[in-house]
Amino acid sequence: MHMNEGTQAGVPGERPGHHWRDPDRAREYVQRMDALAEERHRQFELLVRLLPYPRDAAIRVLDIGAGHGAAAAAVLAAYPRARALLLDISPAMIELGRERLACFAGRYRYLEWDFADGSLPQGEGPFQVVVSSLAIHHLPAEATRRLYREARSLLAPGGCFLNLDIVAAPTPALEELYRRLAEEGGWSSGPSGRHSRLHELGQHLEWLREAGFAEVDRYWKQWHLALFGGFVPGA
């Protein structure tokens, strides 16, 4: 499932993320993210620097809501021996991702997967790294908590989970400020009414600790966008 910045609520009763099956919507999103390539590169560079492995490590990576593969590509480029499994609900996004990831042929695999209820493919682990980018923020609280627990169960000792996503502002005034700043920066959306399920960063960190992660923290934040996660204690 790919549920990203700028996503609006779908048809009432529709499971989150299923509107990304629309090829036009998928292409428009990728074009918009391409326009922000320099900014996103810096964010993914920081994510990669947080990974607790030497660059020659043969790590396995799970990318949740991978879309066109931007987060996975950043890890694969930095870790030449890494392999990745990319989860997404949208065949249109998967098709675009395969085009973008052609240079990593043989090192990645897409799996069409719906995680609207927080479930992950348990038979695919263990992984050293689980990442997600702009994909989890529409899940309700219980689904998010379940997803964090399942991500923890898929990780090997010493592994990590890193999520680059939008979070709720702690006050209405800050929410309005972040929305305006996001629009001025070209993101076209902030933590407004269309993201009614957003949770505050502190809540995410609490759920990660509850799931069994250690060294949980916000590693970077700009307005509504944050890079946060946790690590699995070593063997």
Side-chain angles (χ1 to χ4, degrees):
M1 179 182 342
H2 190 67
M3 298 180 295
N4 290 293
E5 185 82 17
T7 299
Q8 298 189 38
V11 177
E14 182 182 55
R15 286 171 68 82
H18 281 232
H19 52 283
W20 285 112
R21 292 176 178 272
D22 179 352
D24 291 336
R25 184 186 290 267
R27 282 191 295 269
E28 185 277 333
Y29 172 81
V30 173
Q31 291 170 359
R32 186 151 46 86
M33 292 300 100
D34 284 347
L36 299 166
E38 184 177 346
E39 181 178 354
R40 283 168 57 79
H41 174 76
R42 290 194 297 269
Q43 295 160 3
F44 289 131
E45 187 177 54
L46 176 56
L47 182 151
V48 167
R49 290 176 61 192
L50 287 165
L51 302 184
Y53 298 100
R55 294 301 176 93
D56 61 350
I59 58 175
R60 294 193 69 219
V61 181
L62 176 66
D63 187 348
I64 301 171
H68 62 296
V75 180
L76 291 173
Y79 285 80
R81 299 179 63 204
R83 293 180 177 271
L85 174 64
L86 290 74
L87 306 182
D88 204 274
I89 190 60
S90 168
M93 280 289 190
I94 291 173
E95 181 180 352
L96 291 168
R98 286 177 174 147
E99 295 173 5
R100 298 297 181 98
L101 297 170
C103 61
F104 302 114
R107 297 177 54 204
Y108 78 94
R109 174 168 62 93
Y110 266 103
L111 176 62
E112 189 174 332
W113 186 267
D114 181 352
F115 65 89
D117 59 359
S119 66
L120 297 174
Q122 293 296 309
E124 297 286 350
F127 297 92
Q128 284 69 44
V129 173
V130 177
V131 297
S132 186
S133 173
L134 299 174
I136 298 174
H137 60 267
H138 275 301
L139 294 185
E142 284 306 311
T144 305
R145 293 173 70 188
R146 178 183 178 184
L147 185 141
Y148 289 165
R149 292 193 301 268
E150 296 207 3
R152 170 64 177 83
S153 73
L154 287 170
L155 280 162
C160 66
F161 168 74
L162 296 172
N163 186 18
L164 178 66
D165 208 351
I166 57 174
V167 296
T171 69
L174 284 175
E175 181 173 296
E176 176 59 25
L177 174 62
Y178 293 170
R179 182 197 61 76
R180 178 172 59 78
L181 291 171
E183 290 178 350
E184 291 173 358
W187 285 91
S188 81
S189 173
S192 60
R194 73 175 65 180
H195 292 108
S196 59
R197 286 176 172 165
L198 289 182
H199 311 295
E200 290 187 25
L201 179 59
Q203 184 67 79
H204 283 283
L205 302 185
E206 180 180 328
W207 290 335
L208 288 168
R209 295 187 186 99
E210 176 185 271
F213 287 99
E215 311 301 333
V216 170
D217 202 2
R218 174 210 72 189
Y219 310 112
W220 174 87
K221 187 174 187 292
Q222 182 180 26
W223 313 325
H224 62 286
L225 185 64
L227 174 60
F228 57 96
F231 295 79
V232 178

